[in-house]
Amino acid sequence: QKEVEQNSGPLSVPEGAIASLNCTYSDRGSQSFFWYRQYSGKSPELIMFIYSNGDKEDGRFTAQLNKASQYVSLLIRDSQPSDSATYLCAVNRGGSYIPTFGRGTSLIVHP
Amino acid sequence: SAVISQKPSRDICQRGTSLTIQCQVDSQVTMMFWYRQQPGQSLTLIATANQGSEATYESGFVIDKFPISRPNLTFSTLTVSNMSPEDSSIYLCSVEDPGIGADLDEQFFGPGTRLTVL
């Protein structure tokens, strides 16, 4: 079992819809969770982080964490074509500063 | 946030040759990281580079193949040695920035070096 798993997609949603991206992790000692966005040909950039169970909202983005079920998700409301990118889930173990990345989910928002 | 530059941005190399990738940061950082991202794959950590000490390599990566230098707190190089087509990938350097919280270290990535080995 891979440490951080994501569906590679592509996930295709219409403009204005909610895009839901999911990530599961295997290490119960994980404490910090990140979502990076990577446009084609560009480097990843951090868009959300979460470390407590529940929801965390930032603008159109909501990160959801459920440590008991070992999953973290990212919701993008009112999706825009500019949101089309690959979204990487990253997980840090407690005491580690080095994240483990999933392979990413490709999101396509079509007009 | 840290600003990171990498050189070269891309290169096409012949099998058996070596390429050195440079990473420059606009501020002093303790830890620098080198990642590889192969097509359709996740970011894979190659090694962690501390200034003044040997780099720490992850499982599957060795110093003879990927020698790393870290001469100061703003600069590092990664060499891909004796290249084969399997080394074709994007190589990214990154640094951590503790600015978003005591226990949450954001990773900032350089623009990457796209390497093609023929």
Side-chain angles (χ1 to χ4, degrees):
Chain A
Q1 181 187 9
K2 293 184 179 178
E3 293 184 51
V4 180
E5 296 214 46
Q6 296 181 254
N7 188 322
S8 60
L11 173 66
S12 181
V13 301
E15 184 174 358
I18 296 175
S20 178
L21 305 162
N22 300 310
C23 171
T24 59
Y25 59 94
S26 61
D27 187 350
R28 284 195 174 273
S30 300
Q31 294 191 358
S32 307
F33 307 86
F34 305 84
W35 283 98
Y36 286 81
R37 179 177 60 200
Q38 186 174 26
Y39 291 112
S40 179
K42 302 295 185 182
S43 56
E45 57 178 335
L46 181 70
I47 55 172
M48 288 287 288
F49 64 90
I50 187 170
Y51 59 90
S52 298
N53 275 327
D55 295 359
K56 179 182 179 182
E57 186 174 318
D58 184 2
R60 296 187 295 113
F61 299 97
T62 299
Q64 299 175 318
L65 175 61
N66 184 322
K67 289 187 177 181
S69 301
Q70 294 176 242
Y71 83 77
V72 57
S73 62
L74 179 70
L75 302 179
I76 306 175
R77 291 181 300 281
D78 188 23
S79 296
Q80 302 296 310
S82 59
D83 295 325
S84 299
T86 296
Y87 290 80
L88 302 168
C89 173
V91 176
N92 275 30
R93 292 195 63 188
S96 172
Y97 43 76
I98 301 174
T100 299
F101 285 85
R103 62 189 296 174
T105 298
S106 174
L107 172 66
I108 299 172
V109 181
H110 53 86
Chain B
S1 62
V3 177
I4 306 171
S5 60
Q6 281 185 239
K7 290 194 294 187
S9 58
R10 60 178 62 228
D11 207 342
I12 299 173
C13 300
Q14 296 296 320
R15 180 196 299 262
T17 62
S18 298
L19 176 72
T20 295
I21 302 168
Q22 298 179 6
C23 178
Q24 180 75 53
V25 189
D26 69 342
S27 58
Q28 294 185 340
V29 294
T30 302
M31 312 292 293
M32 294 182 75
F33 308 91
W34 286 99
Y35 286 86
R36 182 173 72 183
Q37 188 175 31
Q38 295 178 310
Q41 301 300 312
S42 64
L43 289 162
T44 302
L45 182 65
I46 297 171
T48 303
N50 286 333
Q51 193 266 335
S53 63
E54 293 282 337
T56 302
Y57 289 83
E58 297 298 303
S59 175
F61 297 96
V62 296
I63 188 171
D64 289 347
K65 176 67 175 177
F66 297 101
I68 288 172
S69 77
R70 182 78 201 275
N72 57 53
L73 293 174
T74 63
F75 187 79
S76 178
T77 67
L78 170 76
T79 299
V80 186
S81 302
N82 188 25
M83 289 184 284
S84 66
E86 292 72 33
D87 294 320
S88 297
S89 184
I90 298 172
Y91 292 84
L92 296 132
C93 72
S94 78
V95 302
E96 62 162 1
D97 184 345
I100 62 174
D103 298 317
L104 295 173
D105 293 341
E106 177 179 355
Q107 293 242 329
F108 289 94
F109 288 88
T113 296
R114 184 179 295 272
L115 172 62
T116 302
V117 184
L118 303 177

PDB file of all heavy atoms in Angstrom, chain A residues 6 10 16 23 43 47 54 60 74 97 105:
ATOM      1  N   GLN A   6      -3.873   8.889  -4.153  1.00  0.00           N
ATOM      2  CA  GLN A   6      -4.841   9.771  -4.792  1.00  0.00           C
ATOM      3  C   GLN A   6      -5.267   9.138  -6.102  1.00  0.00           C
ATOM      4  O   GLN A   6      -4.463   8.474  -6.768  1.00  0.00           O
ATOM      5  CB  GLN A   6      -4.216  11.136  -5.123  1.00  0.00           C
ATOM      6  CG  GLN A   6      -3.767  11.963  -3.941  1.00  0.00           C
ATOM      7  CD  GLN A   6      -3.194  13.277  -4.424  1.00  0.00           C
ATOM      8  OE1 GLN A   6      -1.978  13.490  -4.414  1.00  0.00           O
ATOM      9  NE2 GLN A   6      -4.075  14.190  -4.845  1.00  0.00           N
ATOM     10  N   PRO A  10      -8.277  11.940 -14.988  1.00  0.00           N
ATOM     11  CA  PRO A  10      -8.679  13.284 -14.634  1.00  0.00           C
ATOM     12  C   PRO A  10     -10.099  13.368 -14.085  1.00  0.00           C
ATOM     13  O   PRO A  10     -10.948  12.568 -14.438  1.00  0.00           O
ATOM     14  CB  PRO A  10      -8.566  14.033 -15.959  1.00  0.00           C
ATOM     15  CG  PRO A  10      -8.797  12.991 -17.002  1.00  0.00           C
ATOM     16  CD  PRO A  10      -8.229  11.720 -16.446  1.00  0.00           C
ATOM     17  N   GLY A  16     -18.273  26.394 -12.317  1.00  0.00           N
ATOM     18  CA  GLY A  16     -19.268  26.724 -11.312  1.00  0.00           C
ATOM     19  C   GLY A  16     -19.609  25.589 -10.372  1.00  0.00           C
ATOM     20  O   GLY A  16     -20.238  25.809  -9.331  1.00  0.00           O
ATOM     21  N   CYS A  23      -7.856  12.067  -0.805  1.00  0.00           N
ATOM     22  CA  CYS A  23      -6.507  11.553  -0.538  1.00  0.00           C
ATOM     23  C   CYS A  23      -6.583  10.658   0.703  1.00  0.00           C
ATOM     24  O   CYS A  23      -7.226  11.030   1.692  1.00  0.00           O
ATOM     25  CB  CYS A  23      -5.568  12.725  -0.302  1.00  0.00           C
ATOM     26  SG  CYS A  23      -3.919  12.334   0.299  1.00  0.00           S
ATOM     27  N   SER A  43       6.031  24.456 -11.063  1.00  0.00           N
ATOM     28  CA  SER A  43       6.336  23.771  -9.817  1.00  0.00           C
ATOM     29  C   SER A  43       5.127  23.823  -8.882  1.00  0.00           C
ATOM     30  O   SER A  43       4.246  24.670  -9.043  1.00  0.00           O
ATOM     31  CB  SER A  43       7.559  24.395  -9.152  1.00  0.00           C
ATOM     32  OG  SER A  43       7.366  25.773  -8.949  1.00  0.00           O
ATOM     33  N   ILE A  47      -1.560  25.479  -1.395  1.00  0.00           N
ATOM     34  CA  ILE A  47      -2.803  26.220  -1.371  1.00  0.00           C
ATOM     35  C   ILE A  47      -3.576  26.032  -0.058  1.00  0.00           C
ATOM     36  O   ILE A  47      -4.349  26.898   0.332  1.00  0.00           O
ATOM     37  CB  ILE A  47      -3.716  25.867  -2.568  1.00  0.00           C
ATOM     38  CG1 ILE A  47      -3.973  24.363  -2.656  1.00  0.00           C
ATOM     39  CG2 ILE A  47      -3.123  26.389  -3.863  1.00  0.00           C
ATOM     40  CD1 ILE A  47      -5.018  23.999  -3.703  1.00  0.00           C
ATOM     41  N   GLY A  54     -11.709  17.899  10.978  1.00  0.00           N
ATOM     42  CA  GLY A  54     -12.774  18.830  10.644  1.00  0.00           C
ATOM     43  C   GLY A  54     -12.493  19.543   9.346  1.00  0.00           C
ATOM     44  O   GLY A  54     -11.758  19.048   8.498  1.00  0.00           O
ATOM     45  N   ARG A  60     -12.542  29.948  -1.747  1.00  0.00           N
ATOM     46  CA  ARG A  60     -13.315  28.881  -2.414  1.00  0.00           C
ATOM     47  C   ARG A  60     -12.841  27.484  -2.049  1.00  0.00           C
ATOM     48  O   ARG A  60     -13.433  26.506  -2.480  1.00  0.00           O
ATOM     49  CB  ARG A  60     -13.224  29.069  -3.931  1.00  0.00           C
ATOM     50  CG  ARG A  60     -13.857  30.353  -4.446  1.00  0.00           C
ATOM     51  CD  ARG A  60     -13.874  30.391  -5.974  1.00  0.00           C
ATOM     52  NE  ARG A  60     -12.536  30.424  -6.559  1.00  0.00           N
ATOM     53  CZ  ARG A  60     -12.010  29.425  -7.272  1.00  0.00           C
ATOM     54  NH1 ARG A  60     -12.696  28.320  -7.490  1.00  0.00           N
ATOM     55  NH2 ARG A  60     -10.801  29.554  -7.779  1.00  0.00           N
ATOM     56  N   LEU A  74     -10.090  17.885  -0.472  1.00  0.00           N
ATOM     57  CA  LEU A  74     -10.082  19.300  -0.857  1.00  0.00           C
ATOM     58  C   LEU A  74     -11.320  19.553  -1.696  1.00  0.00           C
ATOM     59  O   LEU A  74     -11.528  18.856  -2.699  1.00  0.00           O
ATOM     60  CB  LEU A  74      -8.820  19.646  -1.640  1.00  0.00           C
ATOM     61  CG  LEU A  74      -8.716  21.095  -2.127  1.00  0.00           C
ATOM     62  CD1 LEU A  74      -8.493  22.047  -0.952  1.00  0.00           C
ATOM     63  CD2 LEU A  74      -7.592  21.249  -3.146  1.00  0.00           C
ATOM     64  N   TYR A  97       9.929  16.955   8.987  1.00  0.00           N
ATOM     65  CA  TYR A  97       9.693  18.149   8.187  1.00  0.00           C
ATOM     66  C   TYR A  97       9.609  17.810   6.701  1.00  0.00           C
ATOM     67  O   TYR A  97       9.533  18.689   5.870  1.00  0.00           O
ATOM     68  CB  TYR A  97      10.828  19.156   8.416  1.00  0.00           C
ATOM     69  CG  TYR A  97      12.193  18.515   8.426  1.00  0.00           C
ATOM     70  CD1 TYR A  97      12.798  18.112   7.241  1.00  0.00           C
ATOM     71  CD2 TYR A  97      12.851  18.266   9.630  1.00  0.00           C
ATOM     72  CE1 TYR A  97      14.027  17.493   7.250  1.00  0.00           C
ATOM     73  CE2 TYR A  97      14.081  17.650   9.640  1.00  0.00           C
ATOM     74  CZ  TYR A  97      14.676  17.265   8.459  1.00  0.00           C
ATOM     75  OH  TYR A  97      15.894  16.649   8.477  1.00  0.00           O
ATOM     76  N   THR A 105      -3.933  14.427  -8.444  1.00  0.00           N
ATOM     77  CA  THR A 105      -5.174  14.259  -9.202  1.00  0.00           C
ATOM     78  C   THR A 105      -5.287  15.396 -10.196  1.00  0.00           C
ATOM     79  O   THR A 105      -5.187  16.573  -9.822  1.00  0.00           O
ATOM     80  CB  THR A 105      -6.407  14.283  -8.280  1.00  0.00           C
ATOM     81  OG1 THR A 105      -6.346  13.193  -7.367  1.00  0.00           O
ATOM     82  CG2 THR A 105      -7.694  14.177  -9.103  1.00  0.00           C
TER      83      THR A 105
END
